Amino acid sequence: MIHIEGVEFTYPGHAFRLRVPRMRVGAGERVAIVGPSGSGKTTLLHLIAGILVPGSGDVSVGGSSLPSMRETARRAFRLRAMGLVFQEFELIEHLNVLENILLPCRISPAVRLTPGHRERARSLARDMGIERELNRYVRRLSQGERQRVAMCRALVLEPPLLLCDEPTGNLDPVTKEHVLDGLFAQVARGHTTLVAVTHDHGLLSRFDATIDFTALQTGGAP
Ligand code: ADP
Ligand code: MG
């Protein structure tokens, strides 16, 4: 599903440098990425999502090479093939929860919003324990609720690949287990490939594999 080969990346004008000689994630695999803060884990997710493009090397997702696409094609590909749950949730504050969950259906050029999408949005919200909030404005929600809205939104189009950056960082322990159960149930049902950055070592047993980010950069990880 994900093939990274010889990737080097720098932010223009900054000293930080990311180097990933090789990384492979198979279709349907659930992989956690762990590593020190500031080491480049979020940058790596942005490269896999095609939000950032490497200075050299290749990132391919489902057989499509992202660096060789134009920006508009990369964006369309991302909307079709990936769900993203990033640290800034990028929710639309003046829309309610249901409309936020349905956003990918509205902005993806390849999709037309159907009653089926609304039903799926409601069912995801039930799984994540926010079904009573569907009509509330997002700006009134707690961080934990916002996180769950972002997760429902990422899953609404049943993407083959789901990328999560610290998906449980804002959740209390009980809500965390609830949300993780919902997330992994969805991932299992959709045979979704999951790549999640996490600091929470208690979560790792839920994944098929853990990538140590430091080892990855020196070529020591699979
Ligand atoms: P992590 O997610 O592992 O904490 P990041 O990928 O967020 O690490 O950041 C890696 C490094 O890149 C850090 O030194 C950070 O300050 C720097 N960095 C992140 N985003 C930018 C940016 N947009 N411009 C310049 N430097 C950045
Ligand atoms: Mg980060």
Side-chain angles (χ1 to χ4, degrees):
M1 168 60 87
I2 302 172
H3 280 206
I4 295 182
E5 205 66 53
V7 156
E8 309 233 359
F9 175 84
T10 54
Y11 290 102
H14 291 262
F16 172 76
R17 180 190 171 106
L18 178 72
R19 193 176 151 268
V20 178
R22 188 185 144 88
M23 178 177 150
R24 295 274 186 278
V25 178
E29 221 182 327
R30 294 159 302 177
V31 173
I33 299 178
V34 296
S37 175
S39 58
K41 303 180 301 298
T42 296
T43 304
L44 175 64
L45 286 188
H46 286 182
L47 287 162
I48 296 170
I51 295 167
L52 296 173
V53 180
S56 59
D58 190 40
V59 178
S60 92
V61 173
S64 300
S65 167
L66 297 176
S68 61
M69 290 181 197
R70 286 166 184 266
E71 196 173 332
T72 48
R74 265 203 322 276
R75 182 167 182 276
F77 181 77
R78 178 163 66 243
L79 284 166
R80 187 157 41 84
M82 302 181 206
L84 313 176
V85 185
F86 284 164
Q87 282 163 306
E88 334 66 42
F89 309 125
E90 289 161 12
L91 302 176
I92 310 286
E93 301 291 326
H94 63 273
L95 293 180
N96 70 23
V97 168
L98 179 62
E99 289 304 320
N100 267 278
I101 295 173
L102 290 172
L103 273 176
C105 312
R106 297 204 189 275
I107 61 179
S108 179
V111 175
R112 264 186 59 203
L113 182 67
T114 65
H117 290 128
R118 289 181 182 280
E119 195 34 58
R120 177 158 171 80
R122 289 205 172 82
S123 139
L124 284 166
R126 263 194 303 278
D127 282 357
M128 298 294 171
I130 52 167
E131 73 273 26
R132 283 192 304 276
E133 328 300 337
L134 281 169
N135 295 316
R136 289 177 68 197
Y137 284 114
V138 156
R139 64 169 178 268
R140 306 234 164 94
L141 302 183
S142 71
Q143 279 299 96
E145 288 166 336
R146 298 167 77 87
Q147 189 134 16
R148 286 179 278 167
V149 176
M151 210 170 275
C152 293
R153 183 183 58 182
L155 288 163
V156 74
L157 288 178
E158 303 178 69
L161 173 62
L162 182 64
L163 303 176
C164 298
D165 205 351
E166 316 259 358
T168 57
N170 293 297
L171 305 178
D172 63 80
V174 173
T175 309
K176 183 171 85 177
E177 292 306 318
H178 186 89
V179 167
L180 285 169
D181 289 346
L183 173 68
F184 276 85
Q186 290 294 334
V187 161
R189 203 171 302 149
H191 306 289
T192 314
T193 309
L194 171 65
V195 178
V197 168
T198 182
H199 279 136
D200 188 342
H201 285 252
L203 255 60
L204 298 181
S205 61
R206 290 185 181 252
F207 290 85
D208 301 315
T210 299
I211 292 178
D212 175 334
F213 194 75
T214 311
L216 180 70
Q217 294 192 275
T218 54

